[in-house]
């Protein structure tokens, strides 16, 4: 959690993306303060202590990866749109540039 | 053919320097009043320079984005610049520019939204591997079933679109397997599609995006993509307005420089010199 905070503080990680990490940090913190809770969950699920821990951490990692996938999808979509706009702008600029030089030559 | 409609021929090209010039010239011969737009999808060869030399409008991508993104840039351009009809055509010389006219005539006379040029509609001998034809047949049947209309050549990249479709494509265009997916998209948007028969040349240069051995794999992937598309939220349906004039950018500022920002620039330039 300290690492996550430090990353946010130094603006290397946007708050938007850190929510899930913070959440998993909080959960780990809760479990380390009250280790009995893990025992309880293990008994309810009928699994060993270690397995429960693995399952929980796996779930969180899964969520984080899923979150990343959506972020990447958005980014690539925006990237595509930017490229398209850029190419159109570039075309317009070239046209204007041509017109401008023609005009200057005429005068 | 209505001569007052503005036509844009969109040619996406990725490393097609061998053929693109010829395609532009032939297209201009058969359709002198149409504008030709080449989308250079981050080519490493001289595709862009050759296209410019042949007098086409060129959109340059800084890196390769794939055919879907390139096509969409073309449709965005067509929408912004107020074109009435957009025709998409391959740069490898497979499509005969002489037949673009046929596509456009069908589009205007039949009052449909999209006209598709098909290689298989009439069984003329088009050299294509057996496995590929088989695949195409199965694939077309499935797609025809989804669209509820007989389609024979769903991967054809030779098609003409009216302003309604240009608008839709400029907002949303599939990127993975654009040709078949776009058909499903249009069908769900309530647009009408018509297929006409065309002849095609075997390719002169470049490589097909689909090799014969990969066609089965391709088919499965496209089917998956289409079924996912079917589950997606439907896109905005046809607008009730008869003609969509909105958001057309005024391109006149480029042409008559007398009363525009260009004039100011020139004056500023002269002042600087003086």
């Amino acid at each position: 959690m300290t690492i996550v905070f430090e990353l946010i503080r130094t603006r290397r990680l946007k708050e938007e993306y850190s929510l899930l990490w913070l959440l998993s940090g909080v959960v780990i913190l809760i479990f380390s303060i009250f280790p009995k809770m893990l025992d309880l969950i293990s008994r309810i699920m009928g699994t060993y202590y270690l397995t429960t821990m693995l399952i929980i951490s796996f779930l969180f990692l899964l969520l984080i990866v899923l979150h990343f996938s959506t972020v990447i999808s958005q980014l690539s979509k925006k990237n595509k749109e930017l490229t398209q706009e850029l190419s159109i702008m570039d075309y317009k600029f070239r046209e204007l540039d041509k017109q401008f030089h023609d005009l200057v030559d005429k005068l | 053919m209505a001569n007052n409609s503005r036509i844009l021929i969109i040619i996406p090209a990725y490393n097609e320097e061998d053929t693109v010039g010829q395609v532009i010239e032939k297209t201009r011969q058969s359709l002198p009043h149409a504008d030709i737009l080449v989308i250079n999808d981050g080519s490493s060869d001289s595709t862009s320079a050759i296209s410019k030399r042949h007098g086409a409008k060129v959109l340059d991508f800084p890196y390769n984005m794939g055919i879907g993104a390139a096509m969409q840039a073309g449709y965005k351009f067509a929408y912004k610049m107020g074109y009435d009809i957009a025709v998409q055509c391959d740069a490898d010389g497979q499509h005969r520019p002489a037949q673009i006219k046929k596509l456009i005539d069908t589009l205007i006379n039949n009052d449909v939204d999209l006209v598709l040029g098909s290689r298989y509609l009439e069984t003329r001998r088009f050299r294509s591997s057996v496995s590929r034809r088989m695949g195409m047949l199965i694939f077309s049947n499935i797609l025809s079933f989804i669209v509820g209309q007989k389609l024979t050549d769903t991967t054809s990249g030779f098609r003409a679109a009216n302003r309604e479709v240009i608008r839709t494509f400029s907002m949303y265009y599939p990127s993975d397997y654009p040709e078949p997916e776009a058909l499903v998209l249009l069908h769900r948007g309530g647009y009408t599609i018509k297929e006409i028969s065309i002849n095609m040349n075997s390719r002169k240069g470049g490589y097909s995006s689909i090799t014969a051995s990969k066609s089965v794999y391709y088919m499965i992937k496209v089917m998956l993509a289409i079924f996912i598309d079917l589950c997606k939220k439907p896109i905005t349906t046809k607008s009730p307005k008869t003609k969509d004039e909105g958001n057309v950018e005024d391109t006149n500022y480029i042409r008559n420089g007398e009363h525009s920002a260009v004039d100011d620039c020139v004056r500023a330039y002269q002042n600087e010199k003086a």
Side-chain angles (χ1 to χ4, degrees):
Chain A
M1 262 178 91
T2 340
I3 296 172
V4 177
F5 271 126
E6 185 57 23
L7 281 175
I8 298 171
R9 210 179 57 77
T10 53
R11 293 188 181 81
R12 274 194 288 167
L13 184 68
K14 271 176 95 181
E15 293 87 339
E16 196 192 333
Y17 305 136
S18 62
L19 269 174
L20 266 170
W21 284 114
L22 281 175
L23 192 68
S24 33
V26 170
V27 170
I28 293 168
L29 201 71
I30 291 170
F31 282 139
S32 34
I33 297 169
F34 310 106
K36 284 272 158 58
M37 274 180 73
L38 267 176
D39 279 331
L40 194 74
I41 295 169
S42 306
R43 224 169 300 136
I44 292 165
M45 299 207 310
T47 50
Y48 292 109
Y49 184 83
L50 198 66
T51 324
T52 315
M53 259 183 49
L54 265 173
I55 290 170
I56 290 171
S57 31
F58 180 73
L59 278 178
F60 268 99
L61 282 179
L62 212 64
L63 271 178
I64 288 166
V65 169
L66 192 69
H67 180 229
F68 280 176
S69 306
T70 61
V71 172
I72 290 170
S73 302
Q74 279 170 27
L75 282 176
S76 59
K77 189 176 162 241
K78 285 176 183 169
N79 177 27
K80 184 190 81 180
E81 275 159 17
L82 266 180
T83 313
Q84 291 169 339
E85 288 299 324
L86 173 82
S87 64
I88 295 174
M89 288 292 182
D90 178 58
Y91 168 78
K92 281 188 187 166
F93 175 75
R94 262 185 283 123
E95 281 299 303
L96 275 172
D97 202 44
K98 222 188 288 167
Q99 293 284 330
F100 177 70
H101 280 285
D102 288 350
L103 266 172
V104 170
D105 290 344
K106 247 186 267 168
L107 291 164
Chain B
M1 189 159 110
N3 272 322
N4 52 349
S5 50
R6 295 183 65 207
I7 298 163
L8 183 73
I9 316 288
I10 305 170
I11 305 173
Y14 177 56
N15 290 343
E16 305 270 13
E17 61 178 359
D18 299 331
T19 50
V20 74
Q22 212 184 339
V23 172
I24 293 168
E25 287 304 324
K26 280 190 175 166
T27 308
R28 179 160 308 113
Q29 274 166 29
S30 60
L31 280 168
H33 61 280
D35 286 335
I36 299 165
L37 177 73
V38 173
I39 294 125
N40 165 33
D41 191 4
S43 302
S44 51
D45 63 5
S46 52
T47 300
S48 171
I50 289 175
S51 307
K52 280 171 193 158
R53 206 186 318 132
H54 284 275
K57 299 171 189 294
V58 180
L59 296 187
D60 285 309
F61 280 8
Y63 37 75
N64 188 255
M65 292 284 292
I67 176 90
M71 275 317 305
Q72 195 183 24
Y75 281 114
K76 279 185 173 165
F77 185 91
Y79 182 60
K80 282 191 170 178
M81 302 301 185
Y83 285 96
D84 302 308
I85 293 169
V87 181
Q88 59 179 84
C89 184
D90 284 357
D92 58 13
Q94 265 199 44
H95 299 143
R96 291 184 191 166
Q99 297 188 314
I100 293 176
K101 223 172 186 159
K102 204 172 157 188
L103 284 181
I104 294 170
D105 284 340
T106 315
L107 187 77
I108 293 170
N109 298 332
N110 288 280
D111 198 31
V112 286
D113 296 307
L114 185 89
V115 175
L116 200 63
S118 169
R119 286 161 287 183
Y120 308 123
L121 197 60
E122 282 170 35
T123 42
R124 292 208 179 95
R125 273 176 297 128
F126 176 73
R127 270 169 295 153
S128 178
S129 66
V130 180
S131 64
R132 191 166 168 184
R133 281 206 75 152
M134 273 301 289
M136 288 292 188
L137 200 71
I138 300 166
F139 186 57
S140 301
N141 279 327
I142 299 172
L143 219 97
S144 303
F145 176 71
I146 294 170
V147 179
Q149 175 184 354
K150 192 173 180 294
L151 297 172
T152 53
D153 193 1
T154 51
T155 53
S156 159
F158 196 42
R159 35 184 80 173
N162 69 3
R163 180 121 187 102
E164 285 283 344
V165 174
I166 292 173
R167 187 175 124 263
T168 306
F169 279 168
S170 72
M171 286 187 293
Y172 180 80
Y173 196 73
S175 54
D176 296 338
Y177 310 101
E179 284 94 2
E181 283 189 77
L183 293 177
V184 177
L185 178 87
L186 286 183
H187 168 68
R188 297 193 77 202
Y191 294 95
T192 47
I193 302 163
K194 187 174 168 60
E195 207 175 34
I196 61 165
S197 173
I198 50 148
N199 300 321
M200 245 191 231
N201 302 325
S202 35
R203 70 180 44 242
K204 284 171 190 154
Y207 302 94
S208 166
S209 52
I210 316 154
T211 56
S213 55
K214 283 181 185 162
S215 59
V216 176
Y217 181 53
Y218 169 84
M219 232 178 66
I220 293 167
K221 283 204 294 190
V222 177
M223 286 317 303
L224 250 166
I226 284 169
F227 284 123
I228 293 169
D229 279 350
L230 282 174
C231 302
K232 280 184 193 164
K233 275 182 274 177
I235 48 128
T236 47
T237 44
K238 216 168 173 174
S239 68
K241 283 169 280 173
T242 43
K243 200 157 188 256
D244 173 42
E245 297 286 354
N247 218 2
V248 177
E249 281 182 29
D250 183 18
T251 50
N252 285 334
Y253 68 93
I254 293 176
R255 284 182 209 120
N256 4 303
E258 287 83 38
H259 310 288
S260 68
V262 178
D263 196 32
D264 297 335
C265 292
V266 173
R267 225 172 285 139
Y269 182 79
Q270 283 175 329
N271 284 343
E272 234 171 72
K273 261 180 142 182

